[in-house]
């Protein structure tokens, strides 16, 4: 039992945040259920061979993407771990952090510019035998582009947890490279493997933008894209309900399996620290490792370089002067700003409530509320933005103009989607600060506004800024919700980009991609810098 | 706020009356009193309940049953900041992002709205603990001993009749610890507050302790004057704990 003020405002704030999340997701479910009940036979009849093919493709592409990302990542991570100090290593790791922040549509454009049928690669080959990259191959390349660096970083982090003494011991015992791998590196990698693979699988199964832009036709469509098409093109709500419920069941099953495996579903934004190694690599191994790292580097850097090159080739001056571009930029920035503010505020409320409840509890069982504050934000990963958007779309289409609520949907859904990342940025700092300050504040009677302004704000400023920048980058680059709700009157940059791609104005699209990519990268670099700043 | 050098709080009695408490495992039971204006050293093996006892007095924990009395009045339900108590922990006594002056100032006003009298009191307290001229420093620019001095300065400006010390000098080297003990003894002579001093070091207790409370197995095993405890007539469990050679009577084996 802990004597805390009876009605801790932190707990109240946490309950309010949980309520808002529940409302957002509950409303989406209500929309689905009402629509499903309204047209049950329609929803049931949506189970047809086409649907089964979509489900099969969704799983198949995710499985292949996971294999192609995770297996090479094991070796790249090991290569990087074997050489803890070489010039450019830090830069490579920074570069590997970028895809996480790059909007999917920007990456898709970069990949098209590089490997597409009219891309640089085709130009290099004379354009004759190059088949282009639409369909499964395009989806796989894009997914590996995103997930290979992520998996590499996570594996590298796992290797970093090997105690230095194990390496000292290994060199003292005269272990060779092979034995060191079997006895030291592999156990660490194997422990991380299920979690990393599960995370990548999850990201690929819910990937929307990549499949929308690189997938081709009915042969290469996933559930999420099918939902979007059912709502925006075929206008077949019954079918959308069935697809959405299937998508939820699928992601739920994956998340359940993931939590069993102990995966961290929020990815990671921190650079692992290079530990000192005590086994030096032989020249042959060094050469192999170097080749491996260079290959991975080229694969990751290629599409980014192509984005820049293609973007610079666009008529940037004309684009910047265009009213639609200016309007979309303004809309994007305002919505992303609001979304990030909401994400950070709600994250902080949940983090503080969880901490306050844990302090109050001391020993004994966690209450349901504490569980909810602890993992509530993680559950949003079960319901991808498209699903939430689809639910609200169905719910509201009968009562109002769905396109009029586009800004509200973009802000709230993206805010909730960014919360797991924001929480990861803020929570360690909050808990550490609370650990140091809690009793002092109680003793000195520092509470409420005094506590927020004098004690909490100064120690949380940086992690809050990190979470904010990250959330803003995520929101800026999102195409999921706006694809459903966007219209001529409310356009964001990704939406405009998609429209230009659709009307084959490739140069315009490339210019916009460069702009969007640069803004997101600037935000994420700022987040990284802030996150790694002094913490005393 | 009262002027810096007026009507200072005198020590009052502290009593735990049939207090029971548990963290979900074996319960603690405390029934013990502390004399007004004295320094009582509280010793006992790890896990015997020393910090728990202080937390109960400070109000960080609430008794499951029984009462906590300070100056005869029941404070069992009062929040920590409403109790006539100051506390110094082993570490993290200061807010890392606030200057020395502001850290001390929080002892006068939790919103840091400080008047002239407050600033005078802060300056006086900092001078008293030997930190004049370091007002603007941040905690990280101070040594471990200096940080504890800042905490002590805050105790002075808060001016509460009871002072709880939870191994405040445990992470300091021997010479620094002696200095701090002297400072504490001097401050106690001037202020006459009731001090409950948890320590692992028999030397600390012998040097400045007047009374002793020995805890063992989640309860009070023995009480008495420090003199009695250290001249060999203390309880066996205490002598075993401090490693006192029973045959020779009073030699102390400092366990560092």
């Amino acid at each position: 039992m802990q004597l805390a003020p009876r009605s801790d405002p932190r707990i109240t704030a946490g309950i309010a945040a949980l309520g808002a999340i529940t409302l957002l997701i509950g409303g989406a479910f209500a929309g689905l259920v009402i629509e499903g009940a309204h047209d049950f036979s329609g929803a049931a009849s949506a189970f047809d061979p086409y649907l089964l093919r979509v489900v099969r493709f969704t799983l198949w592409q995710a499985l292949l993407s996971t294999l192609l990302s995770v297996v090479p990542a094991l070796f790249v991570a090991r290569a990087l771990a074997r050489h803890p100090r070489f010039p450019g290593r830090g830069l490579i790791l920074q570069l590997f952090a970028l895809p996480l922040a790059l909007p999917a549509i920007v990456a898709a454009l970069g990949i098209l510019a590089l490997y597409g049928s009219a891309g640089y690669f085709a130009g290099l080959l004379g354009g004759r035998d190059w088949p282009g990259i639409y369909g499964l191959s395009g989806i796989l390349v894009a997914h590996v582009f995103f997930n290979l660096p992520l998996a590499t970083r996570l594996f590298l982090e796992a290797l970093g947890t090997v105690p230095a003494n194990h390496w000292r011991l290994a060199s003292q015992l005269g272990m060779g490279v092979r034995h060191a791998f079997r006895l030291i590196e592999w156990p660490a990698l194997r422990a991380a493997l299920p979690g990393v693979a599960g995370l990548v699988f999850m990201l690929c199964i819910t990937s929307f933008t990549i499949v929308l832009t690189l997938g081709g036709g009915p042969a290469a469509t996933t559930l999420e894209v099918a939902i979007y098409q059912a709502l925006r093109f075929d206008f077949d709500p019954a079918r959308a309900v069935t697809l959405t419920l299937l998508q939820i069941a699928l992601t739920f099953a994956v998340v359940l399996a993931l939590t069993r495996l102990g995966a961290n579903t929020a990815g990671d934004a921190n650079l692992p620290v290079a530990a000192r190694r005590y086994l030096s690599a032989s020249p042959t191994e060094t050469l192999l490792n170097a080749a491996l790292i260079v290959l991975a580097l080229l694969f990751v850097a290629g599409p980014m370089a192509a984005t820049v090159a293609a973007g610079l080739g666009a008529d940037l001056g004309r684009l910047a002067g265009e009213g639609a571009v200016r309007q979309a930029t303004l809309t994007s920035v305002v919505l992303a700003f609001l979304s990030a503010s909401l994400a950070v505020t709600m994250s902080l409320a949940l983090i503080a409530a969880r901490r306050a409840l844990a302090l109050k509890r001391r020993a004994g069982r966690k209450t349901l509320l504490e569980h909810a504050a602890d993992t509530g934000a993680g559950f949003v990963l079960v319901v991808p933005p498209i699903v939430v958007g689809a639910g609200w779309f169905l719910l509201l289409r009968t009562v109002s103009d769905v396109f009029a609520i586009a800004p509200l949907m973009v802000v709230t859904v993206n805010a909730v989607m960014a919360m797991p990342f924001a929480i990861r940025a803020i929570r360690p700092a909050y808990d550490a600060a609370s650990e140091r300050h809690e009793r002092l504040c109680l003793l000195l009677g520092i509470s409420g506004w005094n506590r927020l302004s004098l004690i909490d704000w100064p120690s949380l400023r940086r992690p809050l800024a990190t979470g904010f920048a990250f959330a803003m980058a995520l929101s800026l680059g999102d195409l999921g919700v706006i694809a459903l709700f966007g219209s001529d009157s409310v356009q964001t940059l990704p939406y405009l980009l998609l429209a230009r791609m659709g009307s084959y104005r490739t140069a315009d699209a490339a210019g916009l991609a460069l702009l969007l990519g640069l803004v997101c990268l600037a935000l994420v670099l700022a987040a990284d810098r802030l996150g790694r700043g002094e913490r005393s | 706020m009262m002027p810096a050098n007026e009507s200072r709080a005198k020590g009052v009695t502290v009593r735990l009356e049939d207090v029971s408490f548990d963290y979900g495992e074996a319960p603690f039971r405390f029934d013990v009193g502390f004399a007004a204006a004295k320094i009582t050293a509280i010793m006992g093996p790890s896990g015997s309940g020393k910090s728990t006892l202080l937390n109960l007095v400070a109000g960080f924990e609430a008794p499951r049953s029984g009462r906590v009395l300070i100056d005869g009045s029941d404070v069992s339900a009062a929040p920590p900041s409403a109790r006539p108590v100051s506390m110094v922990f082993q570490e993290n006594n200061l807010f890392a992002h606030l200057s020395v002056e502001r850290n001390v100032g929080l002892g006068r006003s939790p919103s840091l709205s400080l008047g002239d009298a407050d600033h005078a009191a802060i300056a006086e307290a900092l001078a008293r603990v030997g930190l004049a001229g370091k007002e603007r420093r941040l905690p990280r620019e101070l040594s471990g001993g200096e940080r504890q001095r800042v905490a002590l300065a805050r105790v002075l400006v808060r001016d509460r009749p009871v002072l709880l010390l939870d191994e405040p000098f445990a992470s300091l080297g021997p010479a620094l610890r002696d200095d701090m003990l002297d400072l504490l003894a001097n401050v106690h002579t001037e202020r006459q507050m009731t001090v409950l001093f948890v320590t692992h070091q028999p030397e600390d207790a012998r040097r400045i302790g007047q009374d002793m409370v020995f805890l063992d197995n989640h309860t009070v095993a023995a009480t008495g004057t420090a003199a009695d405890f250290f001249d060999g007539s203390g309880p066996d469990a205490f002598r075993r704990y401090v490693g006192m050679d029973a045959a020779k009577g009073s030699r102390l084996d400092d366990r560092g």
Side-chain angles (χ1 to χ4, degrees), chain A residues 218-287:
Chain A
T221 294
T222 58
L223 278 170
E224 293 218 348
V225 174
I227 295 169
Y228 161 77
Q229 280 161 345
L231 286 178
R232 281 297 291 248
F233 293 106
D234 312 334
F235 201 73
D236 186 349
R239 178 171 204 88
V241 168
T242 309
L243 289 165
T244 309
L245 291 177
L246 263 176
Q247 172 78 52
I248 291 172
L250 207 60
T251 40
F252 190 74
V254 175
V255 166
L256 209 64
L258 273 183
T259 37
R260 282 283 150 79
L261 297 172
N264 196 340
T265 36
D268 193 77
N270 295 319
L271 280 175
V273 191
R276 189 197 271 263
R277 287 287 173 271
Y278 295 86
L279 286 185
S280 53
S282 70
T284 328
E285 200 207 339
T286 306
L287 211 65

Side-chain angles (χ1 to χ4, degrees), chain A residues 1 362-363 439 443 450 454, chain B residues 23 55 61 93 97 111 158:
Chain A
M1 275 214 308
R362 259 305 158 73
R439 288 201 298 181
L443 192 70
N450 286 335
L454 289 174
Chain B
Y23 288 112
N55 285 340
E61 309 287 1
N93 285 293
H97 59 277
S111 61
R158 274 193 102 210

